[in-house]
Amino acid sequence: CIFNILPILFMILIAFTNYGGAVVPPELVDWVGFENFKKLVTLSQFAPTFFKILGWNLVWAVISTALNYFAGLGLALLLEKECVKGKAFWRAFPVLAYAIPGFITLMAFKFMFSYGGPVNQMIVANGGTAIGFLDLDAKWSARLIGLLVNCWISVPSIMLLATGNLANRDMSLYEAARIDGARRWKQFEKLTMPFMLFSTMPVLLGQFTGNFNNFGIFYFLRGGLYLDDYFLASDTDLLINWLYNLSIDNNYYCIGAAISLVIFLITSVISLAV
């Protein structure tokens, strides 16, 4: 009740008040009903930024979840092959990346793609010009780097999960499929994927929710950037990042609570539907 239910109830209640700005304790707050939600979708100050970030947030969650899942599954299938030598080493190598704290990995990648980082040093050494991979106008390159970094951090856990599940397959089904003339892709489509989806769907939903609310990726890669076309946000921020900017940095607590309730509703509906 204290650590799970009360914080959620508190957040929900704040979304229906005018808490924030000049109205902070010891000032008493007032109930404003759905006014904060109306501001998100109608007010020129919030609405354009809200819809831009919401669209990118949904795209990010779907692409990053699919990329991480299929990359982890592909690695697990590859390591199962008899032709692969040194399987213990290849299994341990991704786990080392998983064992390093995520924020350290993110800070390392931020330095790697900075103007003075090794990537730009190699470009300049080969006669090119330094590229602002994470600069103010680096919209899609920053998003792509975020997807790849998230993949680097998340794939090892999926690979370990898939390795355990693949060990429980009934291999006689594959033998029967080969006798019937099914090639590798057909075996993967008809046997491996249904089996893996059935056994890993709860984890896949958890991955989707985690990616939808992945605060750290773009906070550590590009935190603190505000663009002119966005209100207190950048073109790589997710809703959770915008919530942080609004509430913690700029005192819009009621709007932040409304956004958090929208995030909760979206992830809950998608998870329950799936």
Side-chain angles (χ1 to χ4, degrees):
C1 286
I2 294 173
F3 296 108
N4 288 327
I5 297 174
L6 280 180
I8 294 173
L9 289 176
F10 185 67
M11 178 272 297
I12 292 172
L13 293 176
I14 288 177
F16 299 96
T17 68
N18 63 344
Y19 179 35
V23 185
V24 293
E27 289 284 331
L28 293 178
V29 302
D30 292 322
W31 297 103
V32 295
F34 290 92
E35 194 64 32
N36 294 320
F37 298 93
K38 291 178 183 176
K39 288 179 181 178
L40 279 178
V41 297
T42 61
L43 200 65
S44 60
Q45 187 180 24
F46 298 109
T49 302
F50 173 71
F51 287 113
K52 286 178 186 177
I53 294 179
L54 177 61
W56 160 236
N57 206 153
L58 290 168
V59 171
W60 155 266
V62 172
I63 293 178
S64 57
T65 302
L67 183 64
N68 297 348
Y69 185 79
F70 286 107
L73 178 58
L75 273 178
L77 288 169
L78 186 63
L79 290 171
E80 270 203 334
K81 290 186 174 294
E82 295 180 2
C83 61
V84 176
K85 306 299 181 184
K87 292 184 179 181
F89 171 78
W90 293 116
R91 283 199 177 97
F93 183 70
V95 176
L96 289 175
Y98 183 56
I100 298 172
F103 80 94
I104 294 178
T105 304
L106 289 165
M107 295 302 289
F109 273 100
K110 181 177 182 178
F111 168 71
M112 188 183 298
F113 288 99
S114 66
Y115 275 107
V119 174
N120 269 319
Q121 285 182 7
M122 287 187 287
I123 293 173
V124 172
N126 287 282
T129 306
I131 301 171
F133 291 102
L134 301 172
D135 213 353
L136 278 170
D137 57 349
K139 180 177 181 179
W140 285 105
S141 68
R143 289 179 174 182
L144 181 60
I145 289 170
L147 284 169
L148 296 177
V149 173
N150 188 44
C151 190
W152 173 264
I153 294 172
S154 304
V155 159
S157 61
I158 300 294
M159 184 198 74
L160 293 173
L161 174 71
T163 301
N165 283 321
L166 290 171
N168 296 318
R169 289 180 297 172
D170 184 0
M171 298 309 295
S172 63
L173 293 173
Y174 290 84
E175 185 179 353
R178 282 193 296 270
I179 293 171
D180 284 344
R183 297 184 179 274
R184 288 180 180 177
W185 174 253
K186 188 60 68 175
Q187 292 176 35
F188 175 79
E189 180 186 351
K190 297 295 184 181
L191 297 176
T192 305
M193 274 310 298
F195 173 78
M196 286 300 298
L197 286 174
F198 177 77
S199 55
T200 61
M201 185 55 72
V203 177
L204 196 58
L205 287 174
Q207 284 271 321
F208 175 83
T209 305
N211 285 322
F212 196 93
N213 293 317
N214 198 330
F215 173 80
I217 290 289
F218 293 109
Y219 178 78
F220 286 108
L221 285 177
R222 292 183 88 205
L225 290 182
Y226 294 162
L227 299 185
D228 293 338
D229 294 339
Y230 291 76
F231 179 69
L232 300 177
S234 71
D235 48 17
T236 51
D237 280 341
L238 307 178
L239 284 173
I240 192 76
N241 298 105
W242 192 39
L243 183 160
Y244 181 87
N245 294 340
L246 286 170
S247 56
I248 304 301
D249 288 347
N250 295 279
N251 211 22
Y252 287 95
Y253 292 109
C254 56
I255 300 297
I259 294 171
S260 64
L261 198 53
V262 170
I263 293 172
F264 171 72
L265 291 173
I266 291 172
T267 52
S268 299
V269 168
I270 293 174
S271 300
L272 290 171
V274 173

